Amino acid sequence: MWTNDLFYIILIAFICFAAWHFALLSLSGGAAAFAVGLLIAVGLGIQGLTVMGCFFISSSLLSSYKKMKKDHLEDFHEKGSTRDWAQVAANGGIAAVAALGVYFWDSVLLLLAFCISLAGANADTWASELGSLSKRPPFSINDLKRVKTGTSGAVSLQGTIAGGFGAVFIAGISTYLFQLESREFFYIAGFGFAGMCIDTIIGAFWQAGYSCRNCGKYVEKTVHCGLETTRIKGISWLRNDAVNFISCLIAAIMGIIFYSG
Ligand SMILES: [Zn+2]
């Protein structure tokens, strides 16, 4: 049995090291991913790790895809494509806690929470990465005006479709690996997609947005042009990672309530 545990630890450490080596994760991101991986392995074994791996690898590949075209977004967003611990926790934290819960209670509800939170995170990432390649700028659901590509709370047809595929992708893999029924498949895909929509709504109405004091650009970070920016909308602590975390959590809880109700 201990050889099995050792196998998991080495596998997870190897993946985190490789992700750090290729700058997909920062050092803190690698450490957080190692912890998330261990919790998932404890509760859901290789199947859980595979679902998480599919999310992580597909998202990282899409982030790197046409990176040149997306470089201008780095100037606008709080963080670049190298994920740090907060991003790992925002996207994988709920999945890790749910997986640990499965270890103690072996409940289908916790398994659903695991799958839905990852389907939501995946939908959101696919939507942002593929949506930001759209030729037409997205529109804000706030005032329906066209806004700069990559703005939180903005939607495009291309991004929304990509997000739908992202949720279905995780739902399909989860259903296959955990031998679930079609009912569970629709719950994971549906609430994963809902998670992305919640992310957009919170992003549009409550996420912090800033204006640069030097160049006047609208940005989503606290420093631009070497100066501290001025907050012009939203709640100061509510930035991208918090929005991701909250929307995955709401989607998972909603999924559980509807499933058991
Ligand atoms: Zn500036």
Side-chain angles (χ1 to χ4, degrees):
M1 202 53 203
W2 67 270
T3 48
N4 211 6
D5 296 346
L6 195 64
F7 163 74
Y8 280 134
I9 294 169
I10 292 171
L11 175 73
I12 297 162
F14 175 77
I15 292 170
C16 294
F17 179 80
W20 169 76
H21 179 79
F22 290 109
L24 303 176
L25 294 171
S26 71
L27 200 57
S28 80
F34 184 69
V36 164
L38 283 185
L39 292 178
I40 291 174
V42 165
L44 292 167
I46 197 74
Q47 290 94 334
L49 285 178
T50 306
V51 177
M52 171 53 92
C54 287
F55 159 61
F56 180 65
I57 291 167
S58 71
S59 298
S60 298
L61 287 178
L62 287 181
S63 297
S64 325
Y65 175 65
K66 296 204 178 162
K67 196 166 181 301
M68 302 284 277
K69 277 185 86 171
K70 291 185 268 192
D71 260 357
H72 64 282
L73 292 175
E74 302 240 339
D75 180 53
F76 167 74
H77 282 145
E78 191 187 358
K79 289 166 184 175
S81 58
T82 302
R83 289 163 168 81
D84 65 9
W85 73 269
Q87 281 164 297
V88 171
N91 288 303
I94 294 157
V97 172
L100 186 67
V102 173
Y103 176 77
F104 289 108
W105 293 290
D106 194 20
S107 151
V108 70
L109 294 179
L110 288 169
L111 176 60
L112 276 182
F114 171 84
C115 299
I116 290 171
S117 74
L118 285 182
N122 200 57
D124 191 51
T125 313
W126 285 29
S128 349
E129 296 298 345
L130 289 170
S132 58
L133 295 172
S134 175
K135 287 200 176 63
R136 298 189 61 177
F139 62 87
S140 166
I141 63 163
N142 224 336
D143 51 14
L144 303 181
K145 284 190 184 130
R146 297 244 167 230
V147 290
K148 200 163 59 176
T149 300
T151 306
S152 293
V155 293
S156 66
L157 183 64
Q158 188 173 329
T160 308
I161 292 171
F165 277 110
V168 167
F169 174 65
I170 292 295
I173 290 166
S174 307
T175 304
Y176 172 73
L177 289 173
F178 296 115
Q179 299 175 318
L180 301 170
E181 306 286 331
S182 56
R183 179 173 176 235
E184 281 84 23
F185 170 83
F186 287 112
Y187 268 89
I188 299 166
F191 283 95
F193 188 77
M196 178 191 77
C197 299
I198 296 166
D199 193 289
T200 304
I201 293 166
I202 299 177
F205 293 99
W206 296 290
Q207 183 171 333
Y210 303 86
S211 169
C212 177
R213 287 180 208 190
N214 181 46
C215 68
K217 273 186 198 162
Y218 175 76
V219 291
E220 294 187 350
K221 52 189 184 183
T222 51
V223 174
H224 199 257
C225 296
L227 287 170
E228 211 168 293
T229 53
T230 312
R231 179 162 56 90
I232 52 168
K233 77 174 259 283
I235 303 164
S236 63
W237 57 268
L238 198 57
R239 293 199 287 274
N240 209 265
D241 295 334
V243 174
N244 279 341
F245 182 83
I246 293 169
S247 43
C248 285
L249 182 65
I250 295 175
I253 291 173
M254 273 173 44
I256 287 179
I257 292 172
F258 276 85
Y259 185 84
S260 48

